[in-house]
Amino acid sequence: MAAGELAELRDVAVEAARVAGDILVARYESATGPVGVRSKSSATDLVSEADLAAERAIREVLTRRRPGDGILGEEGDDVPGTTGLRWVVDPLDGTTNYLFGLPQWCVSVACEHRVGVVWDPLRQELFETTGGTALLNGRALEPSGREDLATALVATGFGYDAGVRARQAEVIARVLPRVRDIRRMGSAALDLAWTAAGRYDAYYERGIAVWDVAAGSMLCAAAGLAVRELPARDALAAGILVAGPAIAEELLDLVG
Ligand code: IPD
């Protein structure tokens, strides 16, 4: 793909993510105040309304600027395209955090195999990858380079099904004694972006949706991390694992 078209896709992704972020921030702050403490009782409705409004805004940008491209989003219908390009969007990743007034959520916009953007509007952090570069607010992302799993900080997430959670707890029981610590922050797209930025040494999760990981996994690959698929097994769905090359296989053996 020509550099000009790639640059256009990147601009479209950033515009879509920022427009959605503005909608989400306005509603979040009107419900919680700028510091994230909830002050209204109708928070669940607010979240679904905010989520839907943000996805509508993203779709408006994509259909206006890229009319022939396909779109797959968490909250809307899959739109088949004619150009061979498909956008995969999560207008609000970290819904539970948003609902509880916790400032750990983001907008994820990817044009598959081309561009990935994860926008954290509360921190004003724009993670982006285009054509093999991985940037945070314009500066190259640097993953941790950790070589020893025992000192690694590992992020993860859990499914919603109780039976699946019980199995995931068994895996955590195996992992926890073998690493520095575990984090479950509640936004897969930010988990991936933060791993690409070296804030975590690794991240894995099963049962994750394509829109949760589309942009973040591209960021991790472009930053030089190993990106592996966790195959489905027993009652556990397939998933993703990202880590520095030195610890990826050992962690994969532990959680895979
Ligand atoms: C969720 C978050 C969470 C992950 C869940 C996802 P949502 O996405 O990314 O961290 O553990 O699997 O479903 O529902 O907030 O868009």
Side-chain angles (χ1 to χ4, degrees):
M1 175 174 275
E5 190 175 358
L6 213 47
E8 188 208 332
L9 294 177
R10 181 264 175 201
D11 285 352
V12 171
V14 171
E15 181 186 342
R18 285 188 185 276
V19 164
D22 288 350
I23 290 170
L24 293 170
V25 168
R27 293 177 190 225
Y28 180 79
E29 292 188 347
S30 75
T32 65
V35 292
V37 178
R38 264 193 310 163
S39 58
K40 285 191 181 171
S41 55
S42 59
T44 305
D45 286 350
L46 175 130
V47 170
S48 58
E49 279 166 24
D51 210 346
L52 289 170
E55 178 149 345
R56 273 197 303 275
I58 291 173
R59 282 172 186 266
E60 189 280 318
V61 172
L62 296 181
T63 50
R64 175 169 46 81
R65 295 196 56 183
R66 301 286 313 176
D69 295 351
I71 307 176
L72 175 66
E74 183 174 13
E75 312 300 333
D77 295 335
D78 195 356
V79 177
T82 53
T83 60
L85 296 179
R86 184 171 76 153
W87 295 85
V88 181
V89 302
D90 191 348
L92 172 56
D93 182 60
T95 316
T96 304
N97 285 337
Y98 190 93
L99 173 64
F100 280 77
L102 299 174
Q104 186 73 5
W105 48 267
C106 66
V107 184
S108 174
V109 178
C111 181
E112 284 179 313
H113 314 301
R114 300 291 192 282
V115 173
V117 166
V118 174
W119 170 229
D120 176 347
L122 293 178
R123 295 185 182 85
Q124 293 281 295
E125 289 194 329
L126 182 77
F127 301 87
E128 60 171 298
T129 177
T130 315
T133 63
L135 307 173
L136 165 53
N137 290 348
R139 301 181 64 163
L141 285 172
E142 284 183 35
S144 78
R146 175 94 40 204
E147 295 188 342
D148 175 17
L149 187 60
T151 59
L153 186 60
V154 179
T156 191
F158 307 118
Y160 294 113
D161 178 83
V164 170
R165 286 183 167 192
R167 301 296 312 279
Q168 290 179 316
E170 291 167 13
V171 176
I172 286 285
R174 280 205 308 275
V175 175
L176 201 44
R178 301 275 304 274
V179 299
R180 181 192 301 264
D181 211 340
I182 295 281
R183 293 289 180 272
R184 196 291 189 248
M185 300 288 271
S187 165
L190 279 181
D191 289 341
L192 287 159
W194 282 25
T195 307
R199 293 173 184 170
Y200 304 131
D201 297 304
Y203 161 74
Y204 76 92
E205 183 165 356
R206 289 178 178 278
I208 204 81
V210 60
W211 44 77
D212 294 322
V213 300
S217 60
M218 286 171 65
L219 274 168
C220 288
L225 293 169
V227 179
R228 300 274 188 274
E229 186 188 339
L230 293 174
R233 67 170 171 82
D234 310 324
L236 294 174
I240 189 171
L241 178 147
V242 301
I247 61 170
E249 300 312 318
E250 193 180 349
L251 185 59
L252 194 60
D253 283 348
L254 208 50
V255 306

